[in-house]
Amino acid sequence: MPETVQPHILVVDDDPQIRDLLQGYFTANELRASAASSGKQMMGILADQTIDLVVLDLRLGGEDGMALVRKLREGSAIPVIMLTGVRDEADRVMGLELGADDYLTKPFSPRELLACVRTVLRRIKGEAPRAAGQREVRAYRFASFELNIRTRRLAQQPPASQCIELTNGEFNLLAALLAAPQRILTRDQLLEASRVDNEVYDRSIDVQVLRLRRKIETDPVQPRLIVTERGVGYSFGVPVEILC
């Protein structure tokens, strides 16, 4: 986005005090801010306005926050920061695996959330220059699959033609492996690539690998594509064709 355009943040929370507090704090710190109290309002704003990042409380009254994260990811790659309770570890892990970009546990300070928002926005903004420096890859072709980087879609080629759904984390993980075929990538490298970068969840990369294997391996128990490098990380075990 141009430097002169203020990023537009959407705060989704059913507590009016929190909505007003965060909306005012973001506005005071050179960000545009809108607010919604429900998933329905959130989707309406997303349909009508350009939103750069969503701050989403997973504990909206009477609504499933995970379903909202999933719905967001089905239709867009808008960054999402989740707000969760201290004891909601399972929700945090699931949300990250569904494609959320980061999380904060309550209680938190507006300053802490602002720092998190700016970090995610910088990271997203920096992806375009990095991609441009990597030969402007359009897609990767491997085995019987093709991963389109622009549309973020994984397609299986004939005779079993089909589109395979990937979470945001799975897509980023697979793209990182395909960009360095037959090279060992550490868990730290893969965690950074898949944006699941909090040390509390350093085993979540193994969960994502397991789920990805179930989608692309002929036999997930004896994987041929995503190979475990014991004590280090993973590597992609077959040749990869780059399509520009």
Side-chain angles (χ1 to χ4, degrees):
M1 68 188 72
E3 294 292 339
T4 56
V5 177
Q6 292 178 319
H8 192 175
I9 312 303
L10 175 59
V11 178
V12 186
D13 199 301
D14 58 357
D15 186 326
Q17 290 185 327
I18 292 179
R19 289 199 308 273
D20 292 345
L21 172 65
L22 295 181
Q23 191 171 7
Y25 192 79
F26 286 146
T27 301
N29 284 275
E30 301 182 344
L31 295 170
R32 293 177 62 203
S34 297
S37 61
S38 67
K40 182 178 181 180
Q41 285 188 4
M42 175 187 75
M43 298 310 295
I45 292 173
L46 290 172
D48 293 337
Q49 303 183 48
T50 299
I51 300 296
D52 297 294
L53 183 145
V54 175
V55 176
L56 173 63
D57 185 355
L58 292 186
R59 296 299 181 185
L60 291 175
E63 294 189 77
D64 182 353
M66 288 301 141
L68 293 177
V69 174
R70 186 179 295 108
K71 190 172 184 179
L72 274 171
R73 277 294 159 260
E74 286 175 353
S76 76
I78 294 174
V80 179
I81 295 176
M82 306 177 297
L83 305 181
T84 72
V86 174
R87 294 182 174 85
D88 295 339
E89 180 176 325
D91 282 351
R92 291 194 291 274
V93 172
M94 183 179 296
L96 291 168
E97 290 172 355
L98 285 174
D101 295 84
D102 212 335
Y103 71 89
L104 279 183
T105 56
K106 296 180 178 181
F108 59 86
S109 70
R111 183 178 180 181
E112 182 182 11
L113 177 57
L114 177 62
C116 185
V117 165
R118 286 175 169 166
T119 297
V120 172
L121 288 174
R122 280 196 303 268
R123 185 166 59 199
I124 299 303
K125 184 179 178 181
E127 286 180 355
R130 284 199 298 271
Q134 294 175 355
R135 297 174 56 189
E136 296 185 353
V137 175
R138 177 179 63 81
Y140 293 106
R141 185 175 292 158
F142 63 96
S144 61
F145 299 92
E146 183 174 306
L147 182 70
N148 191 305
I149 299 301
R150 296 173 184 172
T151 64
R152 301 175 73 87
R153 293 184 179 277
L154 176 65
Q156 188 166 15
Q157 305 302 308
S161 298
Q162 60 178 317
C163 185
I164 299 170
E165 290 189 9
L166 298 177
T167 67
N168 207 38
E170 289 168 351
F171 169 85
N172 290 335
L173 174 61
L174 181 56
L177 288 165
L178 294 175
Q182 298 171 311
R183 284 172 45 195
I184 298 174
L185 297 179
T186 67
R187 280 186 173 82
D188 285 343
Q189 289 173 314
L190 292 172
L191 284 167
E192 181 178 357
S194 60
R195 300 185 202 158
V196 186
D197 53 5
N198 189 291
E199 68 273 11
V200 176
Y201 304 112
D202 62 352
R203 303 304 294 180
S204 67
I205 200 70
D206 298 322
V207 175
Q208 289 195 74
V209 166
L210 177 61
R211 292 180 176 178
L212 191 53
R213 279 173 171 165
R214 289 172 179 165
K215 295 180 178 182
I216 66 174
E217 297 278 4
T218 303
D219 182 1
V221 178
Q222 296 182 320
R224 182 177 66 91
L225 303 178
I226 304 177
V227 179
T228 301
E229 305 292 346
R230 296 194 179 279
V232 183
Y234 297 92
S235 64
F236 203 77
V238 300
V240 176
E241 180 184 358
I242 296 175
L243 306 178
C244 297

